Amino acid sequence: MVRQIPKGKVTSYGRVAAMLDSPNAARAVGYAMAGLRYKQGNPQYDDVPWQRVVNHAGRISIKGSRHSRFMQAELLRAEGVEVSDDLRVDLDEYLWDGLAPPEVKRLLEGK
DNA sequence: ATGTTGACGGTTG
DNA sequence: TCAACCGCCAACA
């Protein structure tokens, strides 16, 4: 689902969960993004634009080093998304519309 | 089986 | 705007 987020747009952990018909699994989505940390170098996961997922307030939500938060901000800026100094993105401007249920279904069924 | 731990989110003060 | 609380989901020990 995260791969569907267009360049220059963002969405939230909760929205990703909701699109997958699991509205209370926002936390699990975060857990999945964190897991990508251990998949670096694996071409199967290197194309996941994890930087486009922020929290419900539009804030970068990485818990680790200050460096990793800065990296997410830079990746977003590099694709045209404005990130304020306090690591926040204006959702009114950059929020991705998301996919409607039928599209999600088609996606999950592959093809 | 049981408890802890997060890149979360809505509500409340 | 913020922080504290609490509910939730999945991975681990």
Side-chain angles (χ1 to χ4, degrees):
Chain A
M1 181 57 66
V2 174
R3 288 194 179 95
Q4 308 309 308
I5 309 171
K7 186 195 304 182
K9 288 289 184 178
V10 302
T11 190
S12 68
Y13 300 93
R15 282 172 175 277
V16 170
M19 284 186 260
L20 293 174
D21 196 32
S22 199
N24 297 313
R27 244 184 141 139
V29 174
Y31 193 89
M33 292 303 102
L36 290 175
R37 175 180 175 64
Y38 304 102
K39 298 286 189 181
Q40 287 179 32
N42 183 331
Q44 180 74 46
Y45 297 93
D46 275 345
D47 63 331
V48 179
W50 56 270
Q51 72 274 21
R52 296 174 194 156
V53 187
V54 295
N55 71 20
H56 69 113
R59 238 213 213 97
I60 284 178
S61 193
I62 290 185
K63 292 287 189 168
S65 64
R66 197 168 68 65
H67 180 277
S68 22
R69 287 191 289 279
F70 181 75
M71 150 134 68
Q72 179 167 9
E74 285 309 300
L75 284 172
L76 287 173
R77 287 171 181 142
E79 51 186 68
V81 176
E82 294 177 61
V83 182
S84 61
D85 294 328
D86 59 337
L87 303 180
R88 184 157 31 194
V89 172
D90 180 6
L91 294 181
D92 287 331
E93 180 166 7
Y94 298 103
L95 180 65
W96 173 46
D97 290 334
L99 298 181
E103 305 175 292
V104 174
K105 185 182 177 193
R106 177 168 52 71
L107 196 67
L108 295 181
E109 292 174 351
K111 283 176 287 310

